[in-house]
Amino acid sequence: MSQPFKTVVLVVEDEPLLRMNTVDMVEDAGFEVVEAPGVAQALKLLESRGDISIVLSDIDMPPGMNGLELAELIRKRWPPVEVILLSGKYVPSDARLPKNHIFFSKPYRPSDVVAALHRVAS
């Protein structure tokens, strides 16, 4: 019997401990996870893998492009990829948040993020 297809989630977070905790949360929710410590690595993964369905990204990630800019680029280059944004420092206005993206302020309830992951994966 073959394994059922698992939705692939790319976790983009520059803080190693937060990234590890987020990866564990997403895996525990039944998703396959790939991870990137920043936007440059996330873009390389998106370019090299065609199986990423959801990007779960922090907004504040120095240096260079931030999570909002990454979300806008994903919408242009990979329109089917869903994006969920997280931030403990930044709250984007509705005008700044790319269309059809979900935002959670840190600290967030893991159950809320997991529910959003399942909602956009279906």
Side-chain angles (χ1 to χ4, degrees):
M1 200 150 146
S2 67
Q3 285 282 96
F5 170 76
K6 281 189 173 187
T7 300
V8 179
V9 177
L10 170 58
V11 172
V12 188
E13 170 62 66
D14 60 322
E15 294 290 331
L17 187 58
L18 290 175
R19 187 172 62 250
M20 183 178 71
N21 288 337
T22 304
V23 165
D24 288 346
M25 174 189 70
V26 175
E27 285 177 339
D28 289 348
F31 296 93
E32 182 180 332
V33 181
V34 291
E35 56 184 286
V39 172
Q41 298 88 341
L43 290 172
K44 286 180 186 172
L45 286 165
L46 285 161
E47 289 168 352
S48 65
R49 294 183 62 136
D51 61 345
I52 296 170
S53 300
I54 303 169
V55 174
L56 181 61
S57 178
D58 188 25
I59 290 177
D60 186 39
M61 289 183 296
M65 189 182 290
N66 68 29
L68 278 173
E69 294 163 326
L70 173 63
E72 290 167 7
L73 184 59
I74 289 169
R75 181 60 57 227
K76 289 177 187 158
R77 289 188 60 190
W78 299 279
V81 175
E82 298 288 346
V83 178
I84 299 174
L85 295 168
L86 311 166
S87 182
K89 299 176 184 172
Y90 186 81
V91 178
S93 68
D94 288 339
R96 254 312 260 146
L97 194 62
K99 189 178 177 187
N100 299 327
H101 289 21
I102 299 168
F103 172 76
F104 290 97
S105 284
K106 294 178 185 175
Y108 52 80
R109 288 192 335 204
S111 60
D112 291 343
V113 175
V114 167
L117 286 166
H118 284 293
R119 192 169 56 250
V120 299
S122 59

